[in-house]
């Protein structure tokens, strides 16, 4: 039995289900992951943990398909005009999605519900679901000792917006799958692969969440959307896209620092050099793919570009520019809630600073990796 079939059998046995949906493209990414894992030389404990997380993704897929069959009305949920934030990590995408989510008309996927797709919540008790407090208690307990949280590199909160990466992981096409450990062969595949159906599965998740929670204009975020703008727009032709920009030489060290911290690669760890190269290659390719897609005027005119600098200096003005561009109503209630967020943001500021030298990188290497992106979007830096 191959490693792929063994993992699929585990998910089938655990769930009692066997229907993975109307396409099996997810098997390609899963196969690449497993081949990469076999060559990675990780500890048995980490290998087991990764396999368990992949089995969980397979089970989620099985349960999504089953529920859609049992309740056909879920597949009829309309997903209209989503507002989608994208841009490199560390360019203000999280701050922007947090602000956009303050709009009472917005509907963002929240961390507690994406972590608890099953059993599905009821709409009547969605806001008081006990799993909200349970997950927040877990986050609170982790905060003092989990380096990502303790250093302020990322803020977890049960009722904060989540990224779309966990949705895309159900198709095994997501940067989340290499966050915990370096899997070079998978990272290389991820740079260039264009699966056929990840945004169909992405829609399944949104329909599931909408059927069991509030209804509103979907407000979404993932840096990884840069990798397939045509695929995103094919699934959501009325999507409103916002791309955030910042000089890559100012953020690559922070991105590499995030990866290395998750992977327990401390100062002086020789593995940090490979992590730095991985960040430049993966996200440099992502930006080049987005730039190539945007050479099509039909794609380019769908995107509003905003500066990380502007987001930091005047977040409310940036917010208004988004709403003005897409002709969305900027209500008094939204403005009040946004002002409160700016005064008391949920996200924390990092207490640690990383340098390119920490990862054996320099500006010449970063500039080579991000190429023509910097030429076109330099005014936003």
């Amino acid at each position: 039995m191959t490693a792929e079939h063994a993992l699929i059998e585990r998910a089938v046995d655990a769930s009692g289900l066997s229907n993975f949906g109307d396409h099996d493209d997810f098997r390609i990414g899963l196969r690449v992951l497993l081949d990469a894992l076999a060559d990675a030389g990780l500890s048995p404990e980490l290998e087991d943990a990764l396999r368990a997380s992949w089995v969980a993704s397979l089970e989620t897929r099985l349960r999504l398909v089953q529920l859609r069959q049992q309740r056909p009305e879920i597949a009829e949920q309309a997903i209209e005009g989503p507002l989608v934030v994208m841009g490199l990590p560390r360019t203000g995408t999280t701050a922007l999605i947090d602000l956009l989510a303050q709009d009472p008309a917005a509907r963002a996927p929240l961390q507690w519900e994406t972590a608890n797709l099953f059993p599905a919540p009821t709409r009547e008790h969605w806001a008081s679901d006990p799993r909200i407090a349970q997950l927040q208690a877990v986050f609170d307990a982790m905060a003092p000792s989990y380096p990502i949280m303790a250093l302020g590199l990322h803020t977890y909160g049960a009722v904060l917006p989540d990224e779309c990466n966990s949705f895309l992981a159900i198709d095994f096409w997501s940067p989340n799958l290499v966050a915990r450990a370096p899997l070079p062969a998978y990272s290389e595949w991820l740079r260039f692969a264009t699966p056929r159906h990840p945004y169909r599965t992405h829609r399944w998740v949104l329909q599931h969440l909408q059927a069991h929670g509030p209804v509103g204009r979907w407000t979404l975020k993932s840096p990884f959307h840069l990798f397939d703008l045509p695929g995103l727009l094919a699934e959501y032709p009325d999507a409103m896209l916002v791309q955030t920009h910042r000089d890559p030489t100012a953020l690559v060290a922070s991105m590499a620092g995030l990866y290395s911290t998750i992977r327990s690669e401390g100062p002086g760890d020789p593995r940090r050099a490979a992590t730095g190269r991985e960040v430049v290659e993966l996200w440099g390719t992502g930006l080049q793919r987005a730039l190539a897609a945007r050479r099509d005027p039909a794609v380019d005119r769908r995107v509003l570009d905003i500066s990380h600098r502007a987001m930091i200096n005047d977040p409310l003005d940036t917010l208004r520019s988004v709403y003005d561009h897409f002709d969305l109503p900027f209500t008094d209630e939204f403005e009040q809630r946004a002002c409160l967020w700016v005064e008391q943001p949920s996200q924390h500021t990092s207490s640690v600073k990383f340098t390119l030298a920490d990862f054996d990188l320099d500006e010449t290497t970063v500039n080579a990796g991000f190429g023509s992106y910097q030429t076109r979007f330099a005014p936003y830096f």
Side-chain angles (χ1 to χ4, degrees), residues 78-96:
I79 309 299
E80 298 176 342
L83 182 58
V84 183
V85 176
M86 58 192 187
L88 283 181
R90 328 309 282 179
T91 61
T93 56
T94 300
L96 181 56

Side-chain angles (χ1 to χ4, degrees), residues 257-302:
L258 178 64
Y259 274 63
S260 64
T261 302
I262 294 172
R263 296 171 179 179
S264 300
E265 300 169 356
D269 191 317
R271 296 175 297 173
R272 278 187 160 192
T275 295
R277 290 194 302 272
E278 177 187 349
V279 165
V280 171
E281 291 170 357
L282 177 63
W283 292 104
T285 299
L287 279 179
Q288 296 305 320
R289 288 177 64 161
L291 187 60
R294 291 187 59 177
R295 292 192 187 279
D296 178 352
V299 175
D300 195 55
R301 63 173 170 259
R302 305 298 301 277

